[in-house]
Amino acid sequence: MKKKAHTGEHRTIAANLHLKRNTKGTSNELSLSVLGGLSAQKDEEDASQGGSGASPSFTMPHFFSGKSKRAPGASSKKQPITGADVAGIALSISDRRNRSTQARDRALANPEAEIKRRKTARRAWRAVGLAFALAAFAGASAFAVHVFTAAYEDNQQHKSLLSQGFSELTSADEVVLAADELVVASFDDLDESKIPDVIGKIPDVDVKLSAAKSFAESAKEGVSGDDEKAANQLAASAEARKTMLELAEAILTEEQAAKQASNLMASCWENVLGADALLREAAELVTDTNEENTRASQKKCEHARELLMQASSQFEQAQALYPADYGPFDDYIAARQQSIAYAIASDEAIYVQDKATADSNNEKYNECDAAAAELAAKLPKTTEAPIVAALDESLGDSRQQYMEIRSQAAACDAFLRDYLGIGG
């Protein structure tokens, strides 16, 4: 009987393992099936014993066996394991795996339902995990979109600042270009009447250029590469314009004075030439020394003297406006004034019929006229020549610096137009 019971024990445990195709064979599922088999075996053995009250006896599988502590003198013979022991072992296994009382009852009462419940729980946890994964992905995607949007907005803000700065340059260019036109004009083509208006607008334009530099400094924050270079070019272009206007103001102020002096010298020389013409006419009249011709000659000489006096005044004003080498003109005017004095004295002597005095003054007149002719040969080709020479010497370095800064500004503007996609 014992041998049959032993065989039935292994057959019943093997039958009750019943691993299903859809189960993963986890330790939890295997333990539940074993417990179910042990419970069913106990019921069968109780029935075969016929309710005699004797405890069933079987050997536990090796994974339940272990060395137990025995009291001194106790027998070393293995003791039979009763049904109560099985229940205790089941409770011990359940306790070691932290099973709640409700879960243990469900497992013992209906293992199949418990397995199904756990599969459903695993699917639920997988769904939760997937939801968390999707949420994480969505969060990462949202963060990436935020980063991209922030980068795009930063780029747009950078270009907006550059565009505003370039607009300030453009509005300032009305005065910058007007000043530039005057600076690069030749001395003959220079319209000095425009200079005061241009110079008067420079302070307001300087404010606009400072604003352009401020936009450039703001645009440089947090950028690199071509963006940073564009901001630097904007600042450099604004600074170049400020320097251009500073130089232009100094250049035009001096050129204005020189131009005014040149205009005075031109008027002065017209009066000198007028006086010369009158002196020649007066000399022609006294070739026939009658009273009428003598008085007409005297009037022409007096008129020539008035013209030379005006010329002398204009000459002094020109010297005060702009210093230059006016010496040859000064010498010539003085010689002409002296010759006129002798011509008038000669005419007065003729009135009183003092021929000796008249001849003496006429001789001195001829000497002064010859000296004036020699001085005329040494005069510059134009009255503005000494002024232009002095101006070139004074402004040579400033003009060269202006042209260099002008080229730098043009290079900066070309880069900015290309970067911002602005034609022209």
Side-chain angles (χ1 to χ4, degrees):
M1 285 297 295
K2 193 170 186 179
K3 185 174 181 179
K4 289 182 180 180
H6 184 77
T7 301
E9 172 189 329
H10 286 283
R11 182 191 58 79
T12 304
I13 291 175
N16 281 282
L17 287 176
H18 63 277
L19 295 176
K20 301 291 182 70
R21 177 174 300 179
N22 293 330
T23 64
K24 293 187 177 181
T26 60
S27 59
N28 289 337
E29 293 178 10
L30 181 60
S31 298
L32 287 170
S33 299
V34 170
L35 291 176
L38 291 176
S39 179
Q41 181 182 344
K42 177 180 179 297
D43 294 338
E44 290 178 359
E45 291 186 353
D46 286 343
S48 63
Q49 292 289 336
S52 62
S55 298
S57 176
F58 64 91
T59 304
M60 284 294 296
H62 65 279
F63 46 80
F64 289 133
S65 64
K67 295 181 179 180
S68 59
K69 293 182 180 180
R70 297 182 178 86
S75 172
S76 60
K77 185 178 180 181
K78 293 183 180 180
Q79 299 295 322
I81 297 177
T82 65
D85 293 331
V86 172
I89 291 171
L91 289 175
S92 176
I93 293 174
S94 179
D95 289 339
R96 285 200 302 269
R97 298 189 181 187
N98 297 316
R99 305 295 187 200
S100 65
T101 302
Q102 184 177 2
R104 183 170 59 250
D105 291 343
R106 285 198 308 266
L108 292 176
N110 193 342
E112 291 289 341
E114 181 64 11
I115 291 172
K116 183 177 180 181
R117 186 189 68 81
R118 294 189 183 188
K119 286 181 180 180
T120 302
R122 281 199 300 272
R123 284 194 295 269
W125 280 111
R126 281 197 296 268
V128 171
L130 179 59
F132 275 110
L134 290 174
F137 176 77
S141 298
F143 178 75
V145 170
H146 171 74
V147 170
F148 175 80
T149 303
Y152 175 79
E153 290 176 351
D154 288 344
N155 180 265
Q156 292 301 108
Q157 182 180 13
H158 166 80
K159 287 202 171 186
S160 175
L161 290 171
L162 287 181
S163 182
Q164 291 179 70
F166 198 77
S167 295
E168 293 292 340
L169 291 185
T170 303
S171 63
D173 275 351
E174 179 182 356
V175 175
V176 173
L177 295 177
D180 183 73
E181 182 180 358
L182 293 171
V183 170
V184 301
S186 66
F187 189 80
D188 288 340
D189 296 334
L190 178 64
D191 185 357
E192 75 279 4
S193 65
K194 296 180 179 180
I195 293 177
D197 180 62
V198 171
I199 291 179
K201 293 177 179 178
I202 288 179
D204 291 338
V205 173
D206 194 68
V207 172
K208 294 181 178 180
L209 294 175
S210 296
K213 285 189 66 176
S214 178
F215 281 122
E217 294 299 325
S218 298
K220 282 198 302 185
E221 297 178 1
V223 297
S224 60
D226 285 345
D227 294 340
E228 184 179 13
K229 184 177 180 181
N232 288 331
Q233 293 294 312
L234 174 60
S237 184
E239 183 60 31
R241 280 168 166 75
K242 288 168 72 73
T243 304
M244 285 173 63
L245 289 178
E246 181 180 350
L247 291 169
E249 183 176 5
I251 291 171
L252 293 178
T253 298
E254 188 168 341
E255 286 187 338
Q256 182 181 17
K259 192 69 175 181
Q260 291 173 348
S262 177
N263 292 337
L264 282 170
M265 283 299 296
S267 297
C268 167
W269 198 245
E270 287 179 0
N271 289 328
V272 170
L273 294 177
D276 280 350
L278 291 171
L279 288 173
R280 285 194 299 271
E281 292 175 4
E284 288 289 335
L285 288 172
V286 294
T287 58
D288 182 9
T289 56
N290 58 52
E291 184 178 355
E292 183 180 357
N293 287 345
T294 300
R295 289 192 180 276
S297 175
Q298 186 177 6
K299 287 182 179 179
K300 287 184 180 295
C301 287
E302 288 175 352
H303 188 195
R305 182 170 61 183
E306 290 176 0
L307 291 178
L308 286 177
M309 287 178 64
Q310 292 179 18
S312 180
S313 175
Q314 291 167 332
F315 178 75
E316 290 175 357
Q317 291 177 49
Q319 285 181 312
L321 279 171
Y322 196 78
D325 184 11
Y326 298 105
F329 297 103
D330 191 16
D331 294 340
Y332 183 84
I333 292 172
R336 276 308 183 196
Q337 286 175 327
Q338 188 64 46
S339 66
I340 288 175
Y342 287 128
I344 291 173
S346 176
D347 290 338
E348 289 176 350
I350 292 175
Y351 289 146
V352 296
Q353 296 183 353
D354 186 353
K355 187 176 184 306
T357 302
D359 289 343
S360 174
N361 285 328
N362 188 61
E363 184 178 353
K364 289 178 181 178
Y365 167 81
N366 290 333
E367 291 175 356
C368 286
D369 186 66
E374 291 180 1
L375 291 172
K378 297 178 182 179
L379 288 172
K381 293 182 178 181
T382 62
T383 55
E384 68 183 24
I387 298 174
V388 172
L391 190 66
D392 289 343
E393 183 178 358
S394 175
L395 296 179
D397 292 341
S398 296
R399 285 173 173 168
Q400 181 179 358
Q401 184 181 2
Y402 179 88
M403 297 307 292
E404 291 174 354
I405 298 297
R406 185 175 185 254
S407 297
Q408 293 175 13
C412 294
D413 293 351
F415 179 90
L416 288 171
R417 288 190 181 94
D418 181 66
Y419 177 84
L420 294 173
I422 301 175

